[in-house]
Structures are given as structure tokens and as C-alpha cells.
Amino acid sequence: MRSLVTGGAGFVGSHLCEALVARGDDVVCVDNFYTGRRANVAAVADAPNFELIEHDVNTPLALEVDRVFHLACPASPVHYQRDRIWTLRTAVLGTMNVLELARTAKARVLIASTSEVYGDPLVHPQVETYWGNVNPIGPRACYDEGKRCAETLTVGYADQHQVQTRIARIFNTYGPRMDLDDGRVVSNFIVQALRGEALTLYGDGRQTRSFCFVTDLVAALIALIETPSDPGPVNLGNPAEITMVELAAAVLALTGATSGTRHQAAPIDDPARRRPDITKAQRILGWTPQVELADGLRATIADLGARLDPTSSA
Ligand code: NAD
Ligand code: UDP
């Protein structure tokens, strides 16, 4: 099996590359290092069945592969809002290029979509049949609408060109190798706690998210691409829902920090509640996330701590 992972030097992609290398696939990782890092794939860099190609998916590419995991796209609000037009280009044109690659190679392709296709959801928990509530002109639109369009392209290639496609709607995922500066809540809180700074709660902190540990997500991505037929979009995430106030308390307790919290203005269009209904994933993939939040946070704190202070043995 020859598997391509676009965005393979990113947070999720690097864990996926490792799992595929361990499974014995020949793995091709394509990344332009917009947010990814070579260090993320250091563990597999010397493996005989791993290859890293520096390439921007906005430029077409052709590779002979059997499986394509298309993850290349900035994912955190800070990064995807830095250049909104480029983000939209990557989500749309980049995805079209990858679908063309899959079509030419006759490969099966999984597209990393997102819970953001549901926007600020009016249906809770979110089921795959819900069409979402997205502001098309807000600061998150480049990502949300880009991913919605990526889904549209994906079903187009399946229907018009008989490409074998899978759509993963990924909910908030966390774990080791999160970028220290990408502004996501888990990495922000851990870095702030380890630095003895107050944790920044945006808005009143009563908004909710549901956090999935990265190894659970990777297992689901691999299971989804191997489903014998296209089940349509599948939510992948951990349904355990918590408020940001509760998350801050958990991080403070696990790090032993006494720095407390401070409130900042809520971002525009920040979704108020988010929790996946994973009934479909459980039925089709026989998958349920295994890692409890406290355990996953401990592993993430150890990794971010070691990177913040390379001299420590954390
Ligand atoms: P990340 O930013 O760590 O990884 C994205 C990777 O894609 C990086 O290595 C980056 O350099 C690369 N990339 C970006 N644009 C590219 C381009 N034009 N050409 C080539 N490479 C490019 O983010 P992540 O958290 O690992 O997310 C991976 C995928 O999963 C993304 O598609 C994201 O939308 C999706 N997703 C992630 C989450 C999450 O919570 N982590 C949630 C929903 C969806
Ligand atoms: N958030 C926060 N403090 C931070 C960073 C984020 O309170 O330092 C909040 C943010 O407003 C959102 C939630 O945490 O409600 C998750 O934010 P993140 O950027 O991690 O992911 P997303 O909004 O894409 O789900």
C-alpha cells in the first residue's frame, strides 16, 4: 500500500504518517511547512518506507499512490485568518488538485473536513445530516466555507469521475506536537500555565468544545478510508463536552499552576457549543475514542513542556 499524506508534517498529519509507517505502508508526506515542521516527522524521517516532499498543494502534483489522506490546510483560527484568501485557495484549489491526483492515480482519497462546516450550530449535538449555520462573510468564513466547498468538490469527483472518496468531519483534536503558538485553546492554556501566566478565557468561558486525543482521531481516519464503500460525511471526535472554564481548571490542576484565568473579548462568530454525534462513526467504523481528557492532557503537557524547556526532563 502506498499512502500519501498531504499536510503530513503538521500536528495530525505527523501522527498519521507514523501510524501508516508502523502499518508498513510506503508513506509519502507532502507539506509546504506553512504551519508544519520537519521536527514533527523526525521519528519516521529515516524509515525506509517514508518520503518527505516539500510542495504546495495549490500547485498540481502527480503521484502513483493507493490512498490519499488530504490534510493540507492551516487549521487554527490564528493561522487560517492570517491570509484568508490563501486559506480559501488552499481549501478549494488545493483540494481540487489533490482530487485530480487521486482521479489520475485511481486512488481512494479521504478529505479532512471539519466541525466548522456546522458553523455556530443550531442543532446540538451535531449530526451529519445538519447543514450548519455559517456566516459566509465573517473572519472564520475562509476556513468554514473553504471546507464546505472542499466537501462539495469531493462529492463532485465521486459522482462525476467515480473517484473513491471519504469525508471526515473532524472535531477539536489535541495532543503532543501541537504548535506552541497556534493559538488553539489547549496549547494556549498549557503554555500559559507552564509559563506561570494567567489562562486567557475568551468571552465568558461558558462556550463548549469536545476534545479528541490525536491517536484516537488517527485510528478513525485509517478506519474510515478502509471502509469498503463511501458512507458520506462522518463526524470524528470525542463527544465529551466541556466549557472553557472547566478546561482551564483542568489544565491548572494538572500543571499545578496557580496563575488563574483572565478574560478577553470573545472572537467574532465563536461557536457557542460544539459536540459531535458519533453514532455513525461508531456504527460504520466500530470506533469509539478511548483516551480520557485528563490522560490526554497529561501527555500533551509533557510534550509542550519539553519543547518549552528542552533542558527539562518533563
Ligand atoms: P496543522 O496546521 O498542524 O497541519 C496542517 C499542515 O498542512 C501543516 O503541516 C501545513 O504546513 C500544511 N499545509 C498547509 N497548507 C498547505 C499547502 N497549501 N500545501 C501543502 N501543505 C500545506 O493542522 P492540523 O491540526 O494538523 O490539521 C490537519 C487537518 O485536519 C487540516 O485540514 C484541518 O482543517 C483538519 N482539522 C483539524 C482539526 C484539529 O482540531 N486539529 C479539527 C478539524 C479539522
Ligand atoms: N479560547 C479561549 N482562550 C484561548 C483560545 C481559545 O477561551 O486562549 C476559546 C475560543 O474562543 C473557542 C474555544 O476556546 O471558544 C476553542 O478555540 P480553538 O481556537 O482552540 O478552536 P475552535 O474555535 O476552532 O474550535
Side-chain angles (χ1 to χ4, degrees):
M1 185 80 79
R2 192 155 192 250
S3 294
L4 166 64
V5 181
T6 74
F11 160 53
V12 175
S14 63
H15 287 274
L16 178 59
C17 284
E18 268 178 32
L20 295 172
V21 165
R23 168 171 103 161
D25 289 18
D26 285 326
V27 177
V28 185
C29 166
V30 164
D31 205 295
N32 71 343
F33 303 111
Y34 187 71
T35 52
R37 299 176 298 131
R38 281 182 194 275
N40 284 342
V41 286
V44 286
D46 294 330
N49 55 336
F50 179 79
E51 182 185 354
L52 176 59
I53 299 174
E54 183 167 355
H55 180 86
D56 186 326
V57 294
N58 290 311
T59 302
L61 76 164
L63 289 167
E64 290 300 319
V65 290
D66 308 293
R67 297 283 184 266
V68 180
F69 296 86
H70 176 44
L71 275 63
C73 186
S76 83
V78 168
H79 288 315
Y80 72 63
Q81 291 176 21
R82 191 162 66 217
D83 182 344
R84 297 183 201 175
I85 297 171
W86 189 84
T87 296
L88 196 51
R89 173 187 280 263
T90 294
V92 178
L93 182 60
T95 298
M96 197 185 294
N97 287 335
V98 170
L99 287 164
E100 278 295 337
L101 179 154
R103 177 190 181 191
T104 308
K106 298 190 170 27
R108 192 180 292 173
V109 55
L110 178 148
I111 303 294
S113 184
T114 168
S115 53
E116 289 282 325
V117 299
Y118 302 121
D120 191 1
L122 305 176
V123 168
H124 193 80
Q126 291 78 57
V127 278
E128 288 89 349
T129 48
Y130 177 48
W131 291 353
N133 177 39
V134 172
N135 174 0
I137 55 168
R140 301 174 83 97
C142 58
Y143 184 73
D144 300 11
E145 297 290 15
K147 290 285 186 174
R148 287 169 70 96
C149 185
E151 290 198 8
T152 310
L153 282 166
T154 303
V155 295
Y157 272 76
D159 292 346
Q160 284 178 234
H161 299 308
Q162 290 71 53
V163 176
Q164 293 185 58
T165 61
R166 307 287 183 266
I167 296 174
R169 288 189 181 153
I170 302 169
F171 284 63
N172 295 67
T173 301
Y174 72 102
R177 298 203 196 113
M178 292 186 86
D179 186 354
L180 297 171
D181 301 317
D182 77 358
R184 283 188 259 204
V185 68
V186 172
S187 48
N188 266 12
F189 281 2
I190 291 175
V191 168
Q192 289 162 344
L194 293 176
R195 286 180 172 151
E197 298 167 3
L199 278 53
T200 48
L201 277 171
Y202 298 167
D204 62 12
R206 283 162 53 194
Q207 68 272 38
T208 68
R209 292 293 186 272
S210 307
F211 295 99
C212 184
F213 193 64
V214 65
T215 52
D216 278 333
L217 174 68
V218 164
L221 293 174
I222 293 173
L224 178 56
I225 208 168
E226 296 307 338
T227 48
S229 59
D230 178 13
V234 179
N235 288 340
L236 300 179
N238 189 319
E241 180 183 7
I242 64 168
T243 66
M244 296 310 99
V245 168
E246 291 165 335
L247 179 69
V251 170
L252 288 171
L254 289 166
T255 54
T258 54
S259 44
T261 58
R262 68 186 164 90
H263 286 270
Q264 285 190 6
I268 297 167
D269 294 338
D270 197 12
R273 298 185 73 186
R274 190 184 284 157
R275 171 156 70 97
D277 181 321
I278 60 164
T279 309
K280 188 173 179 181
Q282 288 172 315
R283 178 167 47 82
I284 290 168
L285 311 178
W287 168 86
T288 296
Q290 301 294 321
V291 181
E292 297 289 335
L293 183 65
D295 294 330
L297 285 176
R298 273 189 209 96
T300 312
I301 290 165
D303 172 71
L304 271 63
R307 283 190 283 138
L308 275 177
D309 177 8
T311 59
S312 87
S313 56

